[in-house]
Amino acid sequence: MSLLDIRVPAVLLRIDRNPFHHGTLGAVRSLGRAGVEVHVVADSAGSPVRSSRFVCQMHPPPAPGASPGEIAGTLRRVAARIARPAVLIPMDDASAVAVGRLGDELAPSYLLAQQPGALSERVADKAELAAVCAGADIPHPVTLIPESPAQAASAAWQLGLPVVAKWSRPWLVPAGTGLRSTVVVHSAQEARELFLRADEAGSQLLLQAFLPSGPDRDWFFHGYADRSGAVRGGGPGRKQRAWPRGAGLTAVGRWTPNPQVQALAERLTASLGYRGIFDLDFRRCGSTGRYHLLDFNPRPGAQFRLFADSAGLDVVRALHLDLTHRPLPDGSPRPGRTFVVENYAPLSALRPVLGGRELAWHAPDDPGPGRAMWGLWGLHVLRKVRERLGGTAPAARTAEVRVVRQAGESHPNGPVEPAELSKLTELSDDEKASSC
């Protein structure tokens, strides 16, 4: 008998157009294996997710840049087809922000975490996050928000080059512009030029002190804050391998006890009164040893399945159980467990590990997505190579700025894996989503 209330379906919402978002597949499998009917509102073109036997139905998503009214209309149409209340789970920042705005309107058709005010939007906004950290006494890289091109250049010098440049609302950055949500800039002129593109990016530019990467410096914390505020269903993890190297999504992550990271995460969510799933990124400063919060994502991180405990509880199941007023089981943590994304770290997927391992795409009880992924990934890489060789890459003025998730250019874990040879296949922001 399932711990979950299988009478209540789940709807996964993803607005970003990323066919290789393995977090969506993780949520499909987590709920589907428990017997829950899973509907996915996302772009299914070229996506391995649609091959999962646990998907009940794929639904067309809202268009990128859709208004809240258009998003609400899409979700109402899905609700009408399901014909009973469902748990709604945003899978990207754009979806989380939209659902936060539409809570009252969606409540008759969907079960939602009761978030205070516009908190999801506040923590997802990189400029607001700096103020949130200051208020909660959480270490955060020094951040400056210039108001003119001259101030941008001055701020770069003041922080000390290189610096990290971010758009405060990365979910608004339009596709096809060559802009990236986060870059490292190496000169005051680069900072000045980025500032001039703020209207194009859709939000303000902020500049942040650069924290170099290094061994054991990149950490993340996934959790679910239940109706009482208790953090369940997750834990602290260490990023062992990233793609792109030293600055991208988690290609290999390991569940690693870290009382300091756990205490910071619990203190922050308690101070905010946060409710729901969250994903935090931290980087340890090499000189002070302090863990600085880099990102607060108000939705599941792509590698959330790393933190499935001995009772099978993860953040997605925790949400479904809590919103359907079911008790959450008391499982034991499974430190040492590893999560590997095969298309970014194929050799790591083959090496034996202690503590157990979960692959992002391949699963014995759901082989379709794993088989589909390699064929679709090969076509994806080939298309990117052709674009580069054909000279259709983004404009040269952005090519000289190294794309990163956060500050850092070197990789602490040794040689590049075969998948990483594809610098020619530089990820879009969608493919780097969330603390992935």
Side-chain angles (χ1 to χ4, degrees):
M1 180 178 177
S2 175
L3 290 172
L4 280 69
D5 188 343
I6 62 174
R7 298 169 299 175
V8 181
V11 174
L12 310 181
L13 173 64
R14 183 171 176 82
I15 296 175
D16 285 346
R17 298 310 205 243
N18 173 18
F20 297 103
H21 187 256
H22 48 276
T24 301
L25 178 61
V28 166
R29 285 172 170 166
S30 178
L31 296 170
R33 285 168 176 152
V36 174
E37 180 182 305
V38 183
H39 294 256
V40 180
V41 184
D43 185 11
S44 63
S47 174
V49 175
R50 67 185 301 171
S51 302
S52 173
R53 71 182 185 90
F54 296 113
V55 172
C56 175
Q57 188 172 355
M58 300 287 300
H59 302 266
S67 69
E70 291 168 329
I71 295 169
T74 296
L75 290 172
R76 281 195 298 268
R77 287 191 291 273
V78 173
R81 300 189 73 168
I82 296 174
R84 62 192 189 277
V87 171
L88 179 60
I89 308 176
M91 295 301 299
D92 63 347
D93 289 346
S95 301
V97 168
V99 169
R101 292 177 180 177
L102 297 167
D104 292 340
E105 188 173 347
L106 297 174
S109 301
Y110 293 100
L111 305 180
L112 305 168
Q114 296 303 305
Q115 201 69 269
L119 186 54
S120 292
E121 186 168 359
R122 186 180 175 208
V123 297
D125 187 309
K126 308 307 180 188
E128 290 285 339
L129 184 60
V132 166
C133 288
D137 193 26
I138 301 292
H140 183 73
V142 177
T143 302
L144 300 176
I145 304 175
E147 296 181 357
S148 69
Q151 283 190 15
S154 176
W157 284 115
Q158 182 179 340
L159 291 169
L161 293 166
V163 298
V164 179
K166 298 181 178 181
W167 300 111
S168 65
R169 298 187 168 199
W171 62 91
L172 297 180
V173 176
T177 61
L179 290 172
R180 297 289 183 254
S181 61
T182 304
V183 301
V184 168
V185 298
H186 300 275
S187 71
Q189 182 60 26
E190 289 178 9
R192 183 193 301 270
E193 291 175 356
L194 271 179
F195 183 90
L196 293 172
R197 303 188 72 183
D199 288 343
E200 191 179 356
S203 64
Q204 60 189 338
L205 180 73
L206 57 90
L207 298 174
Q208 209 169 72
F210 179 94
L211 295 178
S213 64
D216 298 329
R217 290 190 186 177
D218 286 313
W219 292 76
F220 46 87
F221 188 96
H222 293 190
Y224 172 71
D226 67 17
R227 285 173 291 139
S228 71
V231 175
R232 307 288 300 276
R238 182 166 59 89
K239 186 180 294 189
Q240 292 186 304
R241 188 174 294 278
W243 196 94
R245 291 184 300 156
L249 58 79
T250 299
V252 182
R254 186 178 180 85
W255 190 341
T256 307
N258 189 319
Q260 289 178 271
V261 168
Q262 178 129 5
L264 288 170
E266 292 178 349
R267 189 169 85 226
L268 178 59
T269 54
S271 69
L272 294 172
Y274 187 88
R275 299 292 183 270
I277 298 174
F278 62 92
D279 163 27
L280 309 179
D281 283 334
F282 292 90
R283 175 162 285 180
R284 181 173 58 83
C285 177
S287 57
T288 67
R290 302 178 79 200
Y291 291 89
H292 291 248
L293 181 67
L294 303 180
D295 279 311
F296 190 130
N297 302 299
R299 40 77 179 172
Q303 72 273 21
F304 78 90
R305 281 290 304 163
L306 171 64
F307 302 106
D309 67 16
S310 63
L313 188 69
D314 58 38
V315 296
V316 167
R317 288 187 177 186
L319 172 71
H320 195 283
L321 286 164
D322 194 41
L323 295 186
T324 56
H325 298 269
R326 292 278 180 121
L328 277 64
D330 292 319
S332 301
R334 299 164 68 188
R337 195 164 188 265
T338 302
F339 186 85
V340 180
V341 188
E342 307 94 297
N343 49 322
Y344 301 125
L347 295 184
S348 295
L350 298 174
R351 296 184 186 116
V353 296
L354 298 175
R357 173 175 56 201
E358 181 158 340
L359 301 180
W361 297 105
H362 291 265
D365 64 340
D366 188 29
R371 288 196 297 258
M373 183 274 293
W374 284 117
L376 293 167
W377 184 251
L379 293 174
H380 172 75
V381 170
L382 182 61
R383 178 175 59 83
K384 291 290 186 180
V385 171
R386 284 175 174 170
E387 286 177 359
R388 292 298 178 90
L389 295 178
T392 58
R397 63 173 170 170
T398 61
E400 64 187 41
V401 181
R402 179 181 172 83
V403 177
V404 297
R405 234 344 244 175
Q406 278 292 341
E409 295 183 272
S410 61
H411 191 283
N413 297 314
V416 181
E417 293 206 333
E420 295 186 16
L421 294 175
S422 56
K423 280 191 176 180
L424 291 170
T425 65
E426 180 180 274
L427 293 176
S428 68
D429 282 334
D430 287 351
E431 289 169 289
K432 292 182 300 194
S434 153
S435 51
C436 305

